[in-house]
Amino acid sequence: MPEKMIPGKHLWFFDYFPGGDVGLFMRISNMVHSQQTRYQRIDIFDNPTLGRVFALDGITMTTDADEFMYHEMLAHVPMFSHPNPVSVLIVGGGDGGTLREVLRHPGVKRAVLCEIDEQVVEAARQYLKTSESFDDKRAEFAYENGADYVKRFKNEFDVIIIDSTDPTAGEGGHLFTQEFYKSCFDALREDGILTVQAENALYDFGWTKITHRRISSVFPIVKAYQGFVPTYPSGYWLYIFASKNIDPVENFRYDDAKNMSQKLKYYNEELHKACFVLPNFIKNELKGKM
Amino acid sequence: MPEKMIPGKHLWFFDYFPGGDVGLFMRISNMVHSQQTRYQRIDIFDNPTLGRVFALDGITMTTDADEFMYHEMLAHVPMFSHPNPVSVLIVGGGDGGTLREVLRHPGVKRAVLCEIDEQVVEAARQYLKTSESFDDKRAEFAYENGADYVKRFKNEFDVIIIDSTDPTAGEGGHLFTQEFYKSCFDALREDGILTVQAENALYDFGWTKITHRRISSVFPIVKAYQGFVPTYPSGYWLYIFASKNIDPVENFRYDDAKNMSQKLKYYNEELHKACFVLPNFIKNELKGKM
């Protein structure tokens, strides 16, 4: 009997995808941290194949093996589409991976991480490598509901990135409303760009479509793009890019993207364009402003 | 307690990814067919989210929800890269999905499905919608080891598609050797194209690299491309395109691809180019003839 099959020897984690009939299982070789906060349950454990895994309310947020795929695509597509991003707001993203990617851009003077749950940031600082940029002096932390926070700003940020949990989990729902997207529009400067994680086309496609429609009612330019994130439901993730005037395919900083991609593991200047080319069944559902 | 959690009420299927520490679980709402053949175990069942699922030796081969993503990308990229494919060989693919896509091309006069296990073809005919083209009069069936079969032909086929199971499962290993790729080269006509399913970049990347290297030692033009297949390990699948003289990005039948893509759910003429743009960590490992 393989060592891992000995009854009672191991813990297992089950990430149930929406519907509850399909999901990903992972063996827990080392349970690192488990905690109930005011908002959600935090679990951090190690898996022999994926490395350290971080989950909220039983939903996988990051693993060492693939967090870069998600964070690089969420951050660099808007950052290289903007001509000169100086002031950036990240809503959610308490693990720090998106912040790390944003702070790779030398022109950034200020990056605010607005995370509702301070305990997530604390756990990340203690247990996750994605927190490596927390001490960068350009990073600021705000612990509150992102929808309330963004309402207080007008004409303030160049790029806003929504790195939320699922709309149906915990406090995530606040970050998927039309009112929230309108607040983001108002908080952005003239060349402002909003990018949101927008779920997947198999288990959560209803949410992708709702998100796309709501953002399209607020921003003049809206385009969906794709990337791989093996430990998220379906492994295939969608993002929505929205802007006041910038087209991300026609007008991105190609040379800067090419330069930085030398240091990156996923994103590159050719993918920046290719990621906007979607399969028919997705393209046909996300009509309108595409 | 949710209905699906009632103890003893349901069967579950666990697809263990290589390593055995991560995998996909699916609830079996209806067990359709289970059989041990001379070569492998066949399981066919229904899942509320994925529809009908077909597995060999515990490894998911097709589901209603995503089989088109795999079959369209495996078939149409080589078929639209060839100027006029008339004679096609499919090795493996007993479910019939690749055959269905190949036979969409009106110029095809002969499509041979060489599947080692006749029982797979029989089970597909009885239980899987992917078998819908089995009665097309252009389809031929050969029940033998693909490596032996292809050796008997010289200058015979325009396109050969390897739709195999994993190299480590059952008889799959025969279809990943350099000798086999050399036989394929010899069995192809002047403008011949070989395309193989080439595993994934997270759980089986070693096999992707070996496959790429072996094919590169036989064919002058070799390029890897990507697609999503949510129920395969990682959800992100790699394919290798190899040819005697055709570059699939520079020289494909754009107008024909655009026309047919009206009827397809995944593949389109823009994706034909975009699917060859790979993330850095894959591109950097598959150097050489890329």
Side-chain angles (χ1 to χ4, degrees), chain B residues 38-89:
Chain B
R38 181 176 155 198
Y39 298 104
Q40 54 209 338
R41 200 180 76 240
I42 298 173
D43 293 302
I44 298 174
F45 61 86
D46 293 328
N47 171 276
T49 306
L50 301 171
R52 188 143 294 185
V53 180
F54 159 51
L56 291 178
D57 282 346
I59 298 168
T60 308
M61 295 288 123
T62 66
T63 86
D64 284 351
D66 66 350
E67 59 85 8
F68 70 91
M69 306 187 195
Y70 172 74
H71 293 126
E72 289 189 15
M73 289 305 281
L74 183 62
H76 297 305
V77 171
M79 293 297 284
F80 281 118
S81 298
H82 193 283
N84 180 30
V86 172
S87 177
V88 178
L89 169 63

Side-chain angles (χ1 to χ4, degrees), chain B residues 156-175:
Chain B
E156 179 81 14
F157 300 105
D158 298 307
V159 172
I160 298 178
I161 298 173
I162 312 304
D163 184 6
S164 67
T165 185
D166 293 338
T168 50
E171 302 291 313
H174 298 297
L175 305 178

Side-chain angles (χ1 to χ4, degrees), chain A residues 4 19 21-27 47-48 226 228 230 234 236 261 264-268 271 278-281, chain B residues 4 19-27 47-48 226 228 230 234 236 261 264-268 277-281:
Chain A
K4 67 177 71 83
D21 291 311
V22 185
L24 209 58
F25 63 90
M26 306 175 188
R27 183 161 73 88
N47 172 276
Q226 68 192 355
F228 306 107
S234 89
Y236 173 50
S261 85
L264 301 177
K265 287 188 280 183
Y266 193 102
Y267 173 92
N268 61 55
L271 261 186
L278 302 174
N280 295 345
F281 79 104
Chain B
K4 67 177 70 83
D21 292 310
V22 185
L24 209 59
F25 63 89
M26 305 174 189
R27 184 161 73 89
N47 171 276
Q226 68 192 356
F228 306 107
S234 89
Y236 173 51
S261 84
L264 302 177
K265 288 188 280 183
Y266 193 102
Y267 173 92
N268 62 54
V277 181
L278 303 174
N280 295 346
F281 79 105

